[in-house]
Amino acid sequence: MPMRAKLLSELQAEQDYGVLLLTQIGGAPNELQMIVETAVYDEAAQGLRPRGAYAIRVLGVREHRATLGVFGTLKFLDEHPLLFHHNTPRTAVHFDGKAKSIYELVLDISQAYVSTFGRWRNIIDQHDDINNAMPLVDLLATGYGMLGTMPKPLAERISKVLAHHGVRATLSEDANFSATDEHGRSKFAKLLLIDTSYVIALDFSVDQVGAPR
């Protein structure tokens, strides 16, 4: 069985847990190495019984937020809201017109952000998505301008919000966006999700550490 499949198989049952023991810089640029131990909850001992240990090599790291300790779920994903900033074209959103209630529009823009990214991204933390040259209320009060440059799925959702408030939206995608590099290899990032911790990178490889228990 491939080591990735073996790791995932040891984390499927209700009594299965994992422990993220270590995250460190790897031997190559933009590389991380993570050590994960799998375990089974032993009711008799009221504790975790170690099962296996794995080294996850993370190649081409783009973003990470990892917390050491016990976790319940581990997934390798190709699609997730966290990947929108890496795998979809940046799209400029220009607006023309004034909403009847600018404060309601601001609230709906915030709600569109939450609907797109859920708990994974915060509009306050992502400074590049929304134009921060001035407060959003003041920007929308001007009646025209660039609302921001953001991932395409968010831009499309916000354009509908603007239209709902009677404001015209114009979307302009990054013309240089490409899904592949000059050699035809995919540039799309992948996601390793460990509960609320995550690593976004070009690829992951899994190897077993030590003998199976």
Side-chain angles (χ1 to χ4, degrees), residues 55-126:
I56 303 175
R57 186 184 180 200
V58 187
L59 305 174
V61 177
R62 295 188 179 178
E63 183 182 350
H64 65 90
R65 186 185 72 192
T67 301
L68 302 182
V70 177
F71 61 85
T73 61
L74 183 149
K75 299 177 181 178
F76 294 95
L77 301 171
D78 294 325
E79 296 184 4
H80 190 276
L82 280 169
L83 295 174
F84 288 163
H85 281 86
H86 302 274
N87 293 350
T88 66
R90 300 289 292 179
T91 303
V93 179
H94 289 82
F95 68 95
D96 184 6
K98 287 187 180 181
K100 291 182 180 180
S101 173
I102 292 176
Y103 290 99
E104 288 185 8
L105 175 54
V106 170
L107 179 60
D108 285 349
I109 288 173
S110 298
Q111 288 297 321
Y113 204 97
V114 172
S115 297
T116 302
F117 294 110
R119 63 178 176 173
W120 301 105
R121 302 245 186 242
N122 190 304
I123 192 171
I124 297 175
D125 297 331
Q126 299 298 131

Side-chain angles (χ1 to χ4, degrees), residues 2-211:
M3 286 300 105
R4 179 184 294 197
K6 191 172 188 297
L7 167 61
L8 294 175
S9 72
E10 294 180 7
L11 294 168
Q12 289 183 350
E14 184 178 351
Q15 300 296 318
D16 291 342
Y17 290 89
V19 184
L20 180 56
L21 298 173
L22 174 69
T23 300
Q24 65 182 13
I25 297 174
N30 299 321
E31 178 185 323
L32 286 178
Q33 292 181 350
M34 310 174 76
I35 302 298
V36 170
E37 184 177 72
T38 58
V40 178
Y41 180 71
D42 188 332
E43 293 186 4
Q46 293 292 298
L48 296 177
R49 176 165 48 82
R51 186 175 183 182
Y54 299 85
I56 303 175
R57 186 184 180 200
V58 187
L59 305 174
V61 177
R62 295 188 179 178
E63 183 182 350
H64 65 90
R65 186 185 72 192
T67 301
L68 302 182
V70 177
F71 61 85
T73 61
L74 183 149
K75 299 177 181 178
F76 294 95
L77 301 171
D78 294 325
E79 296 184 4
H80 190 276
L82 280 169
L83 295 174
F84 288 163
H85 281 86
H86 302 274
N87 293 350
T88 66
R90 300 289 292 179
T91 303
V93 179
H94 289 82
F95 68 95
D96 184 6
K98 287 187 180 181
K100 291 182 180 180
S101 173
I102 292 176
Y103 290 99
E104 288 185 8
L105 175 54
V106 170
L107 179 60
D108 285 349
I109 288 173
S110 298
Q111 288 297 321
Y113 204 97
V114 172
S115 297
T116 302
F117 294 110
R119 63 178 176 173
W120 301 105
R121 302 245 186 242
N122 190 304
I123 192 171
I124 297 175
D125 297 331
Q126 299 298 131
H127 303 294
D128 296 338
D129 288 348
I130 301 295
N131 186 348
N132 59 9
M134 64 177 75
L136 186 54
V137 170
D138 296 339
L139 176 63
L140 293 169
T142 65
Y144 66 92
M146 186 175 76
L147 182 62
T149 304
M150 59 198 72
K152 185 177 179 180
L154 176 61
E156 292 175 338
R157 183 163 293 190
I158 285 184
S159 70
K160 294 178 181 178
V161 170
L162 292 169
H164 176 73
H165 285 268
V167 178
R168 181 172 176 267
T170 303
L171 306 186
S172 303
E173 290 185 25
D174 178 7
N176 295 321
F177 177 81
S178 174
T180 57
D181 62 17
E182 63 273 17
H183 303 293
R185 297 172 299 195
S186 174
K187 293 167 59 177
F188 282 173
K190 303 175 183 179
L191 174 67
L192 169 58
L193 192 63
I194 305 175
D195 283 354
T196 57
S197 295
Y198 63 84
V199 181
I200 298 172
L202 289 178
D203 207 356
F204 305 90
S205 64
V206 180
D207 294 299
Q208 193 159 22
V209 178

